[in-house]
Amino acid sequence: MTYHSVIRGVVAGLLVLGAAAGAQAGPATDRLKPEVERVLGVLENPALRGEAKTQDRRQAIRAITDGVFDWTEMARRALGRHWNARTPAEQQEFVGLFRDLIERAYVAKIEKYRGEKLAYAGERNDGDQAMVRTRVETKPGQEVGIDYRMSRQGSRWMVIDVLVENISLVGNYRSQFDDVIKTSSFEELVRKIRTRTS
């Protein structure tokens, strides 16, 4: 499966999670589903359609994703062994850059949502960790497995990774980030992310 297929699968899975019928719900699924339905509501809102409303639409999507994605934990995992070597200020900056990177990569694709179908494949819980499994029909007769790794934080479940056909979004970035830091520096990684998101 190519990297672009992974991106398409993540986008399809993220967007249609709220639309599936007959889902095998659990606490993590129950937490994720209404947030994704809110994203769909933004995309389907006539007042937020069109090029002139791009900024407003994306701000509305960000407000929703900030409530269900644990960007700090995702950034920490993506930076891996290099996280603890960073100062608190560097860590905070990196979280913002990582969120911007994910948004830059996926929001334009999210806006192309066309009602792909999704079915739940169950939820597996292990204490404060859960995996919400789904299957997305990308074309008639073709499905992609999308798994949402979630962590319970107090009374809320938050997304900490998305896996497409068992390929981790966070793990994919961790490999790329590690290569840049090993061959150059953390500062070069930050510069590259800034360039990509500017």
Side-chain angles (χ1 to χ4, degrees), residues 62 66 69-77 79 83 88-102 186 190 193:
R62 174 180 273 206
D66 281 353
F69 280 79
D70 184 344
W71 296 117
T72 300
E73 181 62 13
M74 291 177 78
R76 185 189 70 76
R77 288 171 176 246
L79 202 54
W83 177 262
E90 288 174 327
Q91 291 173 351
Q92 184 176 0
E93 178 188 25
F94 188 78
V95 170
L97 288 171
F98 183 75
R99 180 180 69 176
D100 290 347
L101 179 66
I102 298 295
F186 174 75
V190 168
I193 296 174

Side-chain angles (χ1 to χ4, degrees), residues 70 73 128 151-160:
D70 184 344
E73 181 62 13
D128 289 338
S151 175
R152 184 167 45 206
Q153 300 170 9
S155 61
R156 293 171 33 144
W157 288 91
M158 301 290 285
V159 175
I160 59 172

Side-chain angles (χ1 to χ4, degrees), residues 6 11 15 22 24 31 39 75 117 142 152 175 187 191:
V6 170
V11 170
L15 285 173
Q24 297 176 21
R31 163 76 176 118
V39 171
K117 295 179 182 178
Q142 294 185 9
R152 184 167 45 206
S175 176
E187 291 72 22
R191 188 194 67 77

Side-chain angles (χ1 to χ4, degrees), residues 140-156:
Q142 294 185 9
E143 290 186 344
V144 175
I146 312 287
D147 299 337
Y148 296 86
R149 182 171 286 134
M150 301 184 74
S151 175
R152 184 167 45 206
Q153 300 170 9
S155 61
R156 293 171 33 144

Side-chain angles (χ1 to χ4, degrees), residues 13 18 48 54 59 61-62 67 104 133 156 165 175 179 191-192:
L48 293 173
T54 297
Q59 285 178 353
I61 291 171
R62 174 180 273 206
R104 185 82 167 183
R133 298 188 180 278
R156 293 171 33 144
E165 295 293 321
S175 176
D179 285 346
R191 188 194 67 77
K192 285 177 178 287

Side-chain angles (χ1 to χ4, degrees), residues 43-191:
L43 296 175
E44 294 168 352
N45 185 345
L48 293 173
R49 287 189 184 151
E51 199 71 29
K53 295 292 185 177
T54 297
Q55 191 64 27
D56 293 339
R57 184 172 58 249
R58 292 184 179 180
Q59 285 178 353
I61 291 171
R62 174 180 273 206
I64 297 165
T65 58
D66 281 353
V68 72
F69 280 79
D70 184 344
W71 296 117
T72 300
E73 181 62 13
M74 291 177 78
R76 185 189 70 76
R77 288 171 176 246
L79 202 54
R81 62 191 178 92
H82 305 287
W83 177 262
N84 289 335
R86 310 279 43 103
T87 67
E90 288 174 327
Q91 291 173 351
Q92 184 176 0
E93 178 188 25
F94 188 78
V95 170
L97 288 171
F98 183 75
R99 180 180 69 176
D100 290 347
L101 179 66
I102 298 295
E103 287 182 347
R104 185 82 167 183
Y106 299 114
V107 169
K109 294 174 178 65
I110 286 172
E111 291 170 329
K112 295 178 181 176
Y113 169 66
R114 296 294 179 266
E116 291 84 356
K117 295 179 182 178
L118 178 139
Y120 287 89
E123 177 178 317
R124 187 180 72 230
N125 289 282
D126 184 12
D128 289 338
Q129 301 289 312
M131 187 77 79
V132 178
R133 298 188 180 278
T134 68
R135 296 293 176 266
V136 180
E137 184 178 301
T138 55
K139 295 179 182 177
Q142 294 185 9
E143 290 186 344
V144 175
I146 312 287
D147 299 337
Y148 296 86
R149 182 171 286 134
M150 301 184 74
S151 175
R152 184 167 45 206
Q153 300 170 9
S155 61
R156 293 171 33 144
W157 288 91
M158 301 290 285
V159 175
I160 59 172
D161 199 2
V162 181
L163 291 80
V164 181
E165 295 293 321
N166 295 318
I167 298 173
S168 161
L169 174 72
V170 169
N172 191 12
Y173 277 111
R174 182 169 52 242
S175 176
Q176 295 177 49
F177 295 165
D178 187 55
D179 285 346
V180 173
I181 293 171
K182 284 194 300 192
T183 58
S184 185
S185 65
F186 174 75
E187 291 72 22
E188 177 63 11
L189 173 63
V190 168
R191 188 194 67 77

